[in-house]
Amino acid sequence: MSDTMYNSMNDLQFDVLREIGNIGSGHAATALAKLLNQKIDIKVPKAELCDFSKLADIVGGAENLVVGILLTLSDDVEGMMMFIMEKNAAYHLLRKMMWCEIDDEQPLDEIQLSALQEIGNIITGAYLSSLSDLTRLTISSSVPYIAIDMAGAILSVPAIEFGKVGDKALMIQAEFGRDDADDIKGFFLLIPTMESYSAIMSSLGL
C-alpha cells in the first residue's frame, strides 16, 4: 500500500480499518481461548498507521527479543501479515498450552517451535477469517514462517518487501488474558498491496 494512499485515506476509511482490527482481534482471542481451554478476555485493540522505521520501537525496541510469525497472502487479497509478541510472552503461552516448564533462557526444541508456530497459525487464521467474512473476499495464506530474533531483524522482512510501494503499515496492538498479570500483548501487522487495499475498500462500498 503506497504512502500516497495512506495520506489520502479519509476518517471513514481509517475507522473501517480500525474496526477490522477490532473484529479480527476478537476472533483471535476466541481461537486462543479454545486452544488453551480457558476464558480469554481482550482489551480494546489499538490500531494505528505506522512508519516502518518506527515499528520496532512500538514492540519494545530494535534489540528486543520477539517471536515473529509471518504469512504471505494471496487470492483476492495479496500482501503480508505478521503476528509479533515478546519472547517471554511466547514462552508463557507455550507453558499454558503444553503444561510443562520451559526456561525463558533456553532455545526451543523442534516440538516446542512447532507448537508455537501452530499458536501463531491459529491466531492469524482467525484474524484473516474474520477479514474474509467481513469483506466477502477470498484470502489464502501461506504456511506460517516463525522466527525468534531481535525486533529490528524480524521487521526488516516486510519493510524491505513492501518498502517498494510505501513506508507505512496498519498495526493492531491487542492484549489477551484473564487479568492484568496474565496479559499477553501481541501485534498484528497487516500489509496489503495497493490493489488489495482498493479491493478491501470496494468490497465494503468505500
Side-chain angles (χ1 to χ4, degrees):
M1 189 188 303
S2 72
D3 194 29
T4 301
M5 293 185 73
Y6 272 130
N7 289 337
S8 64
M9 186 184 301
N10 60 40
D11 290 341
L12 177 58
Q13 289 171 321
F14 183 65
D15 285 344
V16 167
L17 287 181
R18 180 159 33 209
E19 185 58 22
I20 288 173
N22 290 341
I23 295 171
S25 298
H27 282 232
T30 300
L32 187 59
K34 290 180 180 177
L35 179 67
L36 301 178
N37 194 29
Q38 61 180 245
K39 185 174 183 278
I40 298 289
D41 294 323
I42 182 170
K43 295 182 179 178
V44 176
K46 300 175 183 176
E48 56 184 316
L49 296 173
C50 303
D51 293 339
F52 281 128
S53 61
K54 297 179 180 178
L55 291 177
D57 290 336
I58 294 174
V59 299
E63 296 184 358
N64 190 31
L65 283 175
V66 299
V67 174
I69 296 161
L70 177 69
L71 307 94
T72 57
L73 310 179
S74 57
D75 287 333
D76 292 338
V77 175
E78 296 183 338
M80 281 185 175
M81 182 174 187
M82 180 179 278
F83 180 68
I84 303 168
M85 55 185 160
E86 290 191 350
K87 178 187 170 186
N88 290 344
Y91 277 46
H92 180 58
L93 267 182
L94 271 181
R95 284 190 283 267
K96 283 177 168 292
M97 179 182 178
M98 302 183 73
W99 293 89
C100 65
E101 288 300 318
I102 301 173
D103 189 339
D104 284 350
E105 302 305 318
Q106 294 298 317
L108 299 178
D109 61 31
E110 188 174 337
I111 294 175
Q112 292 165 342
L113 271 175
S114 179
L116 190 55
Q117 187 176 29
E118 184 58 20
I119 290 174
N121 192 32
I122 290 170
I123 292 175
T124 53
Y127 187 103
L128 291 173
S129 177
S130 69
L131 176 58
S132 180
D133 290 344
L134 187 64
T135 60
R136 298 182 180 178
L137 296 173
T138 300
I139 307 173
S140 299
S141 61
S142 67
V143 174
Y145 171 77
I146 185 170
I148 302 175
D149 204 338
M150 291 186 292
I154 285 180
L155 287 166
S156 68
V157 177
I160 291 171
E161 181 65 24
F162 287 92
K164 303 167 188 173
V165 295
D167 62 1
K168 293 179 189 270
L170 176 68
M171 176 172 273
I172 298 102
Q173 176 182 328
E175 291 185 46
F176 311 95
R178 292 178 298 176
D179 51 56
D180 289 342
D182 198 45
D183 276 354
I184 300 293
K185 184 183 292 185
F187 301 87
F188 293 96
L189 186 63
L190 182 63
I191 317 172
T193 62
M194 289 183 287
E195 294 80 5
S196 297
Y197 168 73
S198 296
I200 290 170
M201 289 300 162
S202 295
S203 70
L204 298 171
L206 298 173

